[in-house]
Amino acid sequence: MSDLWIDLNADLGESEESLANGADFELMRYITSANVACGGHAGDERTMRETVISAQKLNVAVGAHPGYPDRTNFGRTESLMAPPEIEASVRDQIAALAAIAAPLGVQLVHCKPHGALYHAANKSAEIAAAIGRAVLESEEQLIMVGQAGSSTLTLWESMGLSCAAEAFADRAYEPDSILRKRMLPGALLEDPAKAARQALDIATRNIAVATDGSELRVAANTICIHS
């Protein structure tokens, strides 16, 4: 039997407190890819630098985690920004992180949109295309991370971008394969054992159990865990 390998990613650099108390660094010991907040929903020059340095020490791949520039709602509320505005914002956020990573000898590996922007890309081809163009204009080698089974991945691939399909260890899936909305009960798998079981099922069986008990096919290259 061949060895099983799957990438584990986490969203980091989103909280000064988590950086200060070492929580981000401790979480980083258990992942292979870090999605670094780069000034949209969270993050600034200092948090980006500290997160990149930590990732470098632990040999963790660094990626950009651009979101809607909405710190009040932590980028979790869909914005009325037009696609050209989204494109410019994502491009600027990636550039900000790249400018900090490059002098440290770190090259960005991937790009994963955050929160409401991630979900908006799943619903709107125009928004997904705007994100793709931003990457092509700045760091075209980046691997685009999007939800497994989504049309977003197909669109990005048609633009010539490399993609990685993402699943979630600690988020509940609805029967139609979308993530359960955070405001609904049971949206987060708060029991570590249940989250671990879901991650293992996805990695070994390409299966996740939906909120109604049905089994969904989830073929992923990377699994997200939240702090």
Side-chain angles (χ1 to χ4, degrees):
M1 181 181 295
S2 61
D3 291 337
L4 174 68
W5 187 94
I6 193 164
D7 179 72
L8 295 178
N9 77 78
D11 307 337
L12 296 165
E14 296 179 318
S15 162
E16 291 189 6
E17 181 182 358
S18 294
L19 281 170
N21 65 20
D24 270 13
F25 188 82
E26 188 60 27
L27 176 60
M28 212 178 290
R29 294 182 186 276
Y30 301 97
I31 64 173
T32 45
S33 296
N35 318 311
V36 183
C38 37
H41 67 288
D44 56 28
E45 185 175 333
R46 185 181 65 80
T47 60
M48 283 188 273
R49 180 175 291 106
E50 289 185 16
T51 305
V52 170
I53 290 172
S54 294
Q56 186 178 39
K57 288 178 181 177
L58 295 172
N59 197 29
V60 170
V62 173
H65 194 40
Y68 283 124
D70 175 16
R71 290 172 180 258
T72 300
N73 297 301
F74 197 65
R76 287 182 175 157
T77 301
E78 190 166 343
S79 169
L80 295 178
M81 293 173 69
E85 295 176 295
I86 292 173
E87 181 180 338
S89 178
V90 170
R91 185 179 61 242
D92 290 348
Q93 289 179 60
I94 294 171
L97 181 61
I100 287 170
L104 297 170
V106 174
Q107 184 173 10
L108 303 188
V109 174
H110 62 280
C111 175
K112 173 188 169 181
H114 165 80
L117 183 59
Y118 183 101
H119 297 297
N122 286 339
K123 295 185 294 183
S124 166
E126 289 187 348
I127 292 176
I131 296 169
R133 287 194 300 271
V135 172
L136 289 171
E137 292 163 5
S138 50
E139 301 279 338
E140 64 180 1
Q141 84 286 350
L142 298 186
I143 298 168
M144 301 299 297
V145 178
Q147 189 167 347
S150 70
S151 59
T152 308
L153 296 175
T154 304
L155 187 150
W156 284 335
E157 287 173 346
S158 74
M159 297 175 71
L161 291 159
S162 298
C163 294
E166 179 182 43
F168 295 81
D170 48 10
R171 292 292 306 277
Y173 283 87
E174 299 287 19
D176 60 0
S177 298
I178 67 171
L179 297 179
R180 188 169 178 81
K181 295 184 183 299
R182 282 181 175 269
M183 71 280 294
L184 297 177
L188 301 177
L189 303 186
E190 298 181 350
D191 181 348
K194 289 183 178 179
R197 179 75 258 173
Q198 178 158 290
L200 190 61
D201 282 344
I202 291 169
T204 60
R205 302 170 55 221
N206 293 336
I207 291 294
V209 178
T211 53
D212 67 350
S214 61
E215 289 191 344
L216 305 172
R217 175 168 170 76
V218 182
N221 309 113
T222 182
I223 295 177
C224 177
I225 58 177
H226 290 101
S227 54

